[in-house]
Amino acid sequence: MDEHRVHKVVLAYERGWLAFSLAMLFVFIALIAYTLVTHTAGVIPAGALERVDPAKVRVEGPFAQPGVIQTGPNQYTAYVQAFTFGYLPNPIEVPKGAEITFKITSPDVIHGFQVEGTNINVEVLPGEVSTVKYTFKKAGEYRIICNQYCGIGHQNMFGKIVVKE
Ligand code: CUA
């Protein structure tokens, strides 16, 4: 083989591997995209940003009468206030096996909304509505914990969810 021919062969070989690498890169990106779309791996996706006037949370809108309302055959929305230092309503009563959409906001400072024994764990910011969906498979009582430092009563800020049969 003359040098020119060797060079051509090497070039074709390199091109082949380059094409292969690009194809693999594409496959991996496609797989990641597919996984993101079809699986959440236990992570609750963040809801769309929804704003509310923190000064009016207690006087008007759905948060002024915090509570659980039925929105479908087996669907409920719980409007929850996280305030210094507690949650409203308390307890939050929901049925077992139903899809519960928690909508939580704060009329004052940043709080947390973490529910023991579940993967519910969201930040609650004044001016924003945090949305998280959950279906309780077991009846019983679940403690709500504030995991954002919010002031002098932070360590005593708890709530309760009662899941009924
Ligand atoms: Cu509310 Cu810490």
Side-chain angles (χ1 to χ4, degrees):
M1 273 203 279
D2 63 86
E3 204 182 312
H4 188 64
R5 198 169 144 64
V6 168
H7 188 71
K8 259 185 155 173
V9 169
V10 168
L11 210 62
Y13 183 76
E14 280 179 349
R15 275 208 196 98
W17 278 107
L18 192 66
F20 177 74
S21 320
L22 287 173
M24 290 312 285
L25 198 64
F26 180 77
V27 167
F28 291 143
I29 290 169
L31 278 174
I32 291 168
Y34 175 77
T35 308
L36 286 177
V37 168
T38 56
H39 298 75
T40 51
V43 175
I44 300 171
L49 186 59
E50 209 180 311
R51 294 197 170 279
V52 68
D53 182 350
K56 291 180 178 156
V57 162
R58 285 181 162 127
V59 290
E60 63 177 49
F63 293 100
Q65 278 103 39
V68 181
I69 56 164
Q70 187 158 11
T71 54
N74 204 26
Q75 290 173 319
Y76 296 81
T77 297
Y79 288 95
V80 180
Q81 276 187 32
F83 62 94
T84 49
F85 299 96
Y87 298 91
L88 276 177
N90 192 30
I92 302 169
E93 293 190 357
V94 296
K96 187 183 103 173
E99 185 190 85
I100 316 295
T101 303
F102 290 96
K103 285 184 176 285
I104 316 140
T105 195
S106 163
D108 42 57
V109 297
I110 296 182
H111 297 282
F113 185 88
Q114 181 177 3
V115 182
E116 259 181 1
T118 74
N119 60 353
I120 300 173
N121 186 3
V122 290
E123 257 189 335
V124 183
L125 289 89
E128 286 183 19
V129 177
S130 300
T131 301
V132 61
K133 277 189 177 36
Y134 196 80
T135 300
F136 292 91
K137 295 191 174 77
K138 273 168 65 182
E141 291 189 0
Y142 296 74
R143 190 158 69 142
I144 307 167
I145 303 160
C146 177
N147 55 15
Q148 290 286 333
Y149 181 76
C150 54
I152 196 84
H154 162 71
Q155 70 274 19
N156 300 317
M157 181 169 168
F158 297 108
K160 202 201 300 181
I161 295 172
V162 176
V163 179
K164 295 172 293 182
E165 281 291 348

